[in-house]
Structure formats: C-alpha cells, structure tokens
Amino acid sequence: MTKLIYLDDSYKTEYRSIVTKVVQNGDLCEVVAAETIFYPQGGGQPSDIGEIRGKSGTLTVTHCRMQEGNVIHQGTLHGSLAEGDEIQETIKWKFRLEHMRRHSAGHIVHDAVSQTIPLLTPIKGDHGKNAFVEYEGLINPILVSRIENLANLMVIEARPIHTEYVTLEELKNRAAWIPPHLPKHKPLRIVQIEGNNAIANGGTQVKNTAEVGEIKITQVENLSNTVKVHYQIESTLPTEETKPTKTVQAAVVKASDPVSPYLENFVAAVEKQKSAFKTEMEAVNFSNREKIWLKYFGSSGISTALIKQIRDLPLELRRQAGMIVNDYKESA
C-alpha cells in the first residue's frame, strides 16, 4: 500500500522513494512507489502531473489514480525503471497549487452556502476547471451575492485551514456531513476552516484562506431538485504578501509591546457598525433587507472595509478579532 505523503504536506514538491511495481501497458507505463507526493484523481480534484526519475530512466507522469490502496503513476517512460529502484518524485508545483487553491475555494464556498442556507444537503463537488459544489434543494438567486461576499470575507480574514486524521467515530461526531461513499484505501481525514464546521476530506489544501484569492460565483444552477453553485478563482497566483509565511513574519510583535489598544479599537468599531446595521435592518421591510446586508457586507461594503483591517492587526490578536467578526456576521 502506498504511503500518501501529500496528506501530511501538500507543499512538498520533491520526494525520494522506492519503486515497488512497474507495468508496461502499450505505449503507457504504470509505476507504483512505496511513498508518493502525487495526488491521485478523486474527490472532485484532478491528479497531479510531473516526473519520476531513476538512475536508468524517467517517467513523465500525466495521470495518477488510486487502485486498491496503491497510487498508480501513469505516463511515458524514457529509459527503464525496475522494482527496487531509488527514484526522485517531482510534481508540477504551479499545477498542484492551482488545484489546491481551487479545492480550498470549494470548501470556502460550501461554508458560505451553509451559513446562508443551513438546510441544504451537499451531494458532491468538482474542483477542476469547471468547479462547482452541488446540493439537494434550491437556492434563491437573490442570495448569490450574499454567498459570494461571505466567501470572500473568509478570504480577507486569512483564516487558517486545518487538516486532521480521525477515526470513523470521530468523523461522525465532528463532521457536519458524512459522504455516503467514504474511501476504502485512504486514511480518514477532516478539513476545517477556522471558525467553521469540519468536513471529511482527502485532498490537498492550502494552509490559509488568503492563499485562495478572490472567489467569483459564476452561476447558481437550479435543477429539478438539486442546485449547482459554480465558482472560479483568480487565475493569477496570490501575491507574496498574502502567503502565510510572509504575513506571519510581518506581523510578529514583542510580548512587551502595547498590543491591547489595537484590539480595543477594533472591537469598538465592530460594535458601532453592528449597532448601525441592526438599526437600518429594523427600519426597512423584509424585501429591502438584502440591500442593507450588501451595503455592509458587499465587496465594497462598510463592514467589509473594516474586516480587511484584521490583516493589519498583530498576529496574536487576529484570531480574537476573527471570532468577534464571525459573531457579528452570524448575528447579521
């Protein structure tokens, strides 16, 4: 059974392993390794591509699949590879990162949908070029802007994305929804955007919502009894400033620094807007409340501008500020 290194470190681009099986299938060659960083297609996420290089040959990997617990690396072999050969695995990083970002975006969209319409039941997701998340039920088109803005607020808030191995019992207790067909040959794992519910997941994820970049809901496709929420992400990669390593380095402060006023001022501003938002919502009829919500939480909204300031807070205060903002959004 292949050990799945990508589950522990989705950012690893090179890895040394051992060939355990080689099968020539016409013009294509299939290679199994003891350990792999290559993600096999599944869960709505395309497989990785790259190369496997040994002392006597190189496999150009064009597709990977899971088969009875082993990852099958398929492609064109130049030279030769044999069982027991030491190999260097290298994935195409830009290709991996694009699909990691799109996969994590799918979870952000799902959380935004769940917060907007809690009773919808997820069916499946596809995180390829035509990405979508599908649900049982229908979505009122008037809520599309709210879903998109909630998703992008999570991006702005730069929330950590956690993954964790779990037992089946833990999965049942902690996940908001259990897929009907759990993988038989992969470890059970959950993914959780900080502040949101956990969900079963076996794919590669970015570490922070800020790495996803702006999310666009391109279509909400209501069918007979189901709905597909189609989405896209920015085609360009996030700037260095949005990557967690850079953000952390820029925000580190000494324990002796007077950091409390930052949080106090932020909390005061949130409470002021919360009061103003409540007053405006109570002053209009139901049909106009969505306009008020967008005034505050739309892409150029009053509260959106305030939430963006979380990135300027010292690192040790961001989690507290995020919890305060989450309470505000939930009350809205």
Side-chain angles (χ1 to χ4, degrees), residues 126-146:
D126 190 307
H127 313 297
K129 289 186 177 180
N130 299 311
F132 66 84
V133 185
E134 186 174 6
Y135 300 88
E136 290 181 5
L138 302 174
I139 294 178
N140 189 326
I142 198 172
L143 296 174
V144 174
S145 294
R146 178 181 289 232

Side-chain angles (χ1 to χ4, degrees), residues 258-270:
V259 295
S260 58
Y262 289 100
L263 188 59
E264 290 175 2
N265 292 338
F266 184 80
V267 171
V270 169

Side-chain angles (χ1 to χ4, degrees), residues 41-274:
Q41 182 173 346
Q45 182 177 339
S47 78
D48 285 323
I49 58 176
E51 70 174 24
I52 292 176
R53 184 181 295 273
K55 63 179 180 180
S56 301
T58 299
L59 180 74
T60 301
V61 181
T62 55
H63 186 263
C64 299
R65 69 182 189 277
M66 181 70 77
Q67 184 174 308
E68 297 180 351
N70 288 314
V71 175
I72 311 298
H73 307 81
Q74 186 182 67
T76 304
L77 178 62
H78 303 279
S80 64
L81 288 173
E83 183 177 335
D85 282 357
E86 293 186 359
I87 52 173
Q88 175 80 17
E89 302 172 349
T90 305
I91 62 168
K92 293 285 187 182
W93 170 241
K94 287 188 176 181
F95 188 84
R96 154 72 69 83
L97 182 57
E98 178 185 354
H99 289 103
M100 281 203 329
R101 291 172 59 223
R102 197 178 287 132
H103 193 168
S104 295
H107 285 278
I108 294 172
V109 169
H110 168 69
D111 285 344
V113 170
S114 297
Q115 291 172 22
T116 305
I117 313 167
L119 297 179
L120 287 182
T121 301
I123 299 174
K124 64 179 180 180
D126 190 307
H127 313 297
K129 289 186 177 180
N130 299 311
F132 66 84
V133 185
E134 186 174 6
Y135 300 88
E136 290 181 5
L138 302 174
I139 294 178
N140 189 326
I142 198 172
L143 296 174
V144 174
S145 294
R146 178 181 289 232
I147 293 168
E148 181 176 286
N149 282 290
L150 278 174
N152 283 307
L153 284 174
M154 289 182 220
V155 172
I156 290 169
E157 291 162 8
R159 297 193 190 186
I161 299 176
H162 307 286
T163 57
E164 180 183 349
Y165 293 111
V166 293
T167 64
L168 180 58
E169 192 62 30
E170 288 173 328
L171 180 64
K172 291 177 179 178
N173 290 333
R174 296 177 59 185
W177 172 74
I178 308 293
H181 304 292
L182 290 171
K184 296 180 180 179
H185 302 291
K186 292 170 66 175
L188 293 177
R189 196 182 66 159
I190 56 174
V191 62
Q192 185 171 20
I193 297 170
E194 190 164 285
N196 296 342
N197 292 324
I199 192 167
N201 176 260
T204 57
Q205 303 285 345
V206 296
K207 295 178 181 178
N208 190 289
T209 57
E211 294 180 68
V212 170
E214 185 178 358
I215 297 171
K216 178 68 177 176
I217 304 298
T218 56
Q219 182 187 9
V220 170
E221 183 183 8
N222 282 308
L223 305 171
S224 55
N225 296 307
T226 63
V227 57
K228 287 184 177 180
V229 181
H230 299 263
Y231 68 91
Q232 292 179 352
I233 59 172
E234 296 174 284
S235 58
T236 55
L237 300 180
T239 62
E240 288 294 319
E241 286 73 19
T242 65
K243 292 183 179 179
T245 52
K246 295 292 182 179
T247 303
V248 168
Q249 292 169 3
V252 169
V253 293
K254 297 178 181 178
S256 59
D257 289 346
V259 295
S260 58
Y262 289 100
L263 188 59
E264 290 175 2
N265 292 338
F266 184 80
V267 171
V270 169
E271 289 300 321
K272 184 178 180 180
Q273 286 194 12
K274 189 175 181 180

